[in-house]
Amino acid sequence: MTRHPDDPFLAAAIEEARIGLAEGGIPIGSVIVRNGKIIGRGHNQRVQSGSVIQHAEMNCFHNTGRMAPSEYRECVVYSTLSPCHMCAGTMVHYGVKGCVVGENRTSRGAEYLLDMKEIEVEVLHDLDCFEMMQDFIKARPDLWHEDIGAKSLRLGFSDAPRY
């Protein structure tokens, strides 16, 4: 694992994750980048808002606002953690061109779905992202299992199917 201090977009996603943690939520952050510029930011707000869909990427899309379909195709989503099926499905639905993942060791998410839909996925294996999630899971396993762990407990696996 490495640290990526020179990547301003990952740094912005990490900043969003830290905001979420400071608010009492789950430390996952996201930004949407178009033509080298951040056009939307968000962080997981399931706890803060009481919403089942306010994952970091969903919150980021919400905060970005409406765009023409052609504009979404110019976007790359940065997320501190591998996106779940809901968030990956939104990326597929709007046809973003790529997703940069801070880390996927904690949860593999639905990267395979993005790959199947020809959305480029780059995993940075960032140490800050990984350590933030591990520290959170140790401190609040109840929230982690509520957010993503319930699926793994019910289905008996923690990673998305691999093809």
Side-chain angles (χ1 to χ4, degrees):
M1 296 215 137
T2 58
R3 295 189 193 279
H4 295 88
D6 297 333
D7 187 326
F9 305 130
L10 181 62
I14 292 171
E15 179 182 323
E16 285 294 323
R18 290 185 176 136
I19 291 169
L21 181 62
E23 294 172 349
I26 299 162
I28 304 170
S30 182
V31 297
I32 295 178
V33 176
R34 180 172 171 245
N35 299 324
K37 181 179 174 185
I38 295 173
I39 61 168
R41 300 170 155 265
H43 53 273
N44 187 303
Q45 292 193 26
R46 290 185 70 247
V47 174
Q48 301 91 311
S49 69
S51 169
V52 298
I53 62 169
Q54 283 297 316
H55 286 198
E57 300 88 346
M58 301 298 285
N59 183 250
C60 188
F61 271 98
H62 175 81
N63 293 336
T64 299
R66 291 177 58 196
M67 293 190 299
S70 61
E71 293 174 295
Y72 284 108
R73 289 190 291 273
E74 299 170 347
C75 293
V76 175
V77 176
Y78 280 71
S79 183
T80 58
L81 185 66
S82 183
C84 72
H85 288 84
M86 176 178 63
C87 297
T90 300
M91 290 179 214
V92 169
H93 181 79
Y94 287 106
V96 301
K97 72 177 182 180
C99 179
V100 178
V101 175
E103 70 101 354
N104 67 357
R105 207 165 129 197
T106 300
S107 176
R108 180 80 187 264
E111 294 168 28
Y112 72 96
L113 174 61
L114 298 173
D115 188 53
M116 283 178 20
K117 296 298 186 174
E118 299 181 358
I119 295 173
E120 184 179 343
V121 177
E122 180 181 2
V123 181
L124 299 179
H125 304 289
D126 183 79
L127 187 58
D128 289 332
C129 293
F130 178 73
E131 289 177 347
M132 185 170 21
M133 285 308 302
Q134 295 307 301
D135 291 346
F136 174 76
I137 291 168
K138 286 177 190 163
R140 294 299 312 265
D142 56 324
L143 286 181
W144 174 246
H145 286 287
E146 177 187 323
D147 192 58
I148 196 168
K151 176 184 77 167
S152 64
L153 292 173
R154 184 180 75 249
L155 299 176
F157 59 86
S158 60
D159 288 335
R162 296 181 182 156
Y163 62 101

